[in-house]
Amino acid sequence: MGSAKELFEGKPTGLPAPMTRGTAVYREESDPVPEVRHVAGYDQFVEFCVGRRVQAKELAADAGRLLWFLRANGSEIANDSDLKAAAAVFAGNTLARLRPDAVWTTYEGGSPTVGNGEMQFEVDRLLDVLRSADDTAVQGLVAVVTDWAQEEPDDPPAMHPLPVAQPAGVIPYVRPSLPEATYYSEDGAPIPYGRRWDDGGPDSESYSVDSHPERFAGLHLVARALIAHLTAVYDVEVHEDATRAADLLMEARDVLAAVKVTPRSSGAAPLTIVVTGYPGVMVHAGVLHDFSFPVCGCDACDETVQTTADRLEMLVLSVAAGGYAERYPIGSRRWSEYALTAFDGSGSESGKSEPVPAPADRLRKAEVRLRSFTGGWNPWPLRQR
């Protein structure tokens, strides 16, 4: 059958720890998350290949041949849940082998995926699609995988913006007191938001339920406190006008207020803070990136006003401290990217994606402006005392 080492790169491991959708995680730079490229659990599929007089090693080295094999034997594989799981792992490892930047990723409540920042394949769904696909569809999928495998990685070096500490004597930001309340389920039981789910993860039905959005009302107080803090500490211009919500690239519904805070320094990133009736807050930072608070208020994501306020404050205060960077365009796909380093040194986050659809002239202006800030936006200037 061939050993695992002969089939795929490195020692096989378990799946990576699942990430929660809709949350941002600040991690210490000294505690990197190991990348997973070779997952164990495909021995039964290798035995299945032997029974069909096919060398698993050859399938592992030829993704196109593997896809056709999975299509031809899809019904039989689907009838055995253990075999199907093993086939999905084998397929994922084969895809990860195609590119040096391809890794396994798992999300709470979702199926494992394999890919890089530009393309992800949900391996369980891949098997289901192949089982019912016609020849044309399989040929198209093989072409997509082949093109993806042959693309040259064009990622530039990671951005590491460095925030500056406020000098002594500057009044620190203080979170306002947030209203406290107990929320109840339909059967009258208190809902322990923030710790609803055990190790088994959220119920599948909970992803479509948003039972108590009013628990986020305190975010409006936090947004106002942040605006007041920025105004008191930094040399800025402040314009409050609901039409400023147009700064967002995402759609903002039920806008209650929009405030643009622009530092009096062309090298510092402006912020537009939009208060919505959800209740929630949306922030446009710099020129091309929007952030929502909460990201998702559904019961499965289980966000609380406290954890969401943490993220909102971290974004705003870190941008003002110079811990924010943007880059556009990246590579042939012209993706956009941001990086955020926490103002207090607690961690960092980053993201890369296709830009939200925007007028061509807006993207062009963003591209020109960001050429001057390859190392990140500057810290905001302080008010003169």
Side-chain angles (χ1 to χ4, degrees):
M1 290 192 302
S3 68
K5 185 176 181 180
E6 292 173 333
L7 291 174
F8 303 109
E9 169 192 337
K11 182 179 179 181
T13 66
L15 288 167
M19 295 186 292
T20 303
R21 292 189 185 276
T23 61
V25 179
Y26 291 86
R27 299 186 184 276
E28 296 291 346
E29 295 295 336
S30 60
D31 186 26
V33 178
E35 293 183 340
V36 175
R37 290 174 47 80
H38 182 184
V39 171
Y42 51 86
D43 287 348
Q44 186 172 345
F45 179 73
V46 174
E47 294 174 358
F48 178 81
C49 293
V50 172
R52 300 301 177 278
R53 298 186 178 182
V54 174
Q55 292 291 323
K57 186 175 181 179
E58 295 177 359
L59 296 181
D62 187 339
R65 184 176 176 185
L66 173 63
L67 294 177
W68 283 108
F69 180 82
L70 291 172
R71 187 277 188 96
N73 297 276
S75 296
E76 187 173 356
I77 292 173
N79 288 332
D80 184 330
S81 59
D82 291 337
L83 175 59
K84 182 181 179 183
V89 172
F90 189 96
N93 289 335
T94 301
L95 292 169
R97 183 179 177 177
L98 295 176
R99 292 180 59 102
D101 57 349
V103 296
W104 282 85
T105 304
T106 60
Y107 295 96
E108 290 185 358
S111 299
T113 65
V114 176
N116 62 355
E118 297 182 353
M119 185 171 292
Q120 294 280 327
F121 299 91
E122 189 175 315
V123 290
D124 291 340
R125 184 170 179 270
L126 179 64
L127 266 64
D128 294 333
V129 169
L130 285 170
R131 189 170 72 252
S132 58
D134 59 21
D135 287 355
T136 301
V138 178
Q139 289 169 356
L141 180 57
V142 170
V144 168
V145 171
T146 301
D147 290 345
W148 176 69
Q150 294 175 349
E151 285 180 354
E152 289 293 329
D154 54 8
D155 289 350
M159 298 183 292
H160 297 287
L162 297 176
V164 299
Q166 291 184 338
V170 174
I171 300 174
Y173 166 81
V174 177
R175 179 183 295 180
S177 298
L178 302 181
E180 297 182 4
T182 301
Y183 302 98
Y184 298 90
S185 63
E186 292 182 355
D187 60 6
I191 301 175
Y193 280 114
R195 46 187 176 84
R196 297 189 65 181
W197 311 112
D198 55 23
D199 294 338
D203 297 332
S204 58
E205 297 81 5
S206 62
Y207 286 95
S208 59
V209 178
D210 193 346
S211 56
H212 289 287
E214 67 273 18
R215 70 186 188 275
F216 296 111
L219 294 177
H220 292 181
L221 300 177
V222 174
R224 287 296 179 180
L226 285 167
I227 294 168
H229 173 77
L230 297 176
T231 304
V233 172
Y234 296 99
D235 185 14
V236 297
E237 296 180 359
V238 180
H239 297 281
E240 179 164 355
D241 187 334
T243 62
R244 299 305 324 188
D247 291 349
L248 295 166
L249 295 173
M250 296 188 296
E251 180 184 5
R253 298 179 179 179
D254 193 13
V255 173
L256 302 181
V259 181
K260 184 166 187 176
V261 186
T262 306
R264 290 190 173 93
S265 168
S266 60
L271 288 168
T272 301
I273 300 174
V274 179
V275 177
T276 67
Y278 171 74
V281 175
M282 301 176 73
V283 178
H284 180 73
V287 293
L288 275 185
H289 289 89
D290 296 344
F291 302 84
S292 296
F293 306 91
V295 172
C296 177
C298 78
D299 288 5
C301 290
D302 199 28
E303 288 195 66
T304 69
V305 67
Q306 289 81 13
T307 58
T308 307
D310 288 343
R311 295 192 303 103
L312 174 57
E313 293 164 347
M314 189 65 68
L315 172 67
V316 171
L317 298 177
S318 299
V319 170
Y324 181 59
E326 294 180 280
R327 189 156 50 195
Y328 171 81
I330 301 173
S332 59
R333 294 174 179 262
R334 299 181 66 82
W335 285 33
S336 64
E337 181 181 16
Y338 80 91
L340 186 73
T341 303
F343 71 95
D344 58 1
S346 60
S348 62
E349 71 169 67
S350 62
K352 184 175 70 172
S353 64
E354 297 182 24
V356 174
D361 62 334
R362 183 169 182 178
L363 293 175
R364 187 162 50 250
K365 289 178 181 178
E367 179 178 356
V368 171
R369 191 171 186 192
L370 291 176
R371 289 173 186 166
S372 303
F373 310 118
T374 55
W377 292 95
N378 295 332
W380 287 17
L382 295 170
R383 283 182 62 121
Q384 299 299 316
R385 303 287 176 180

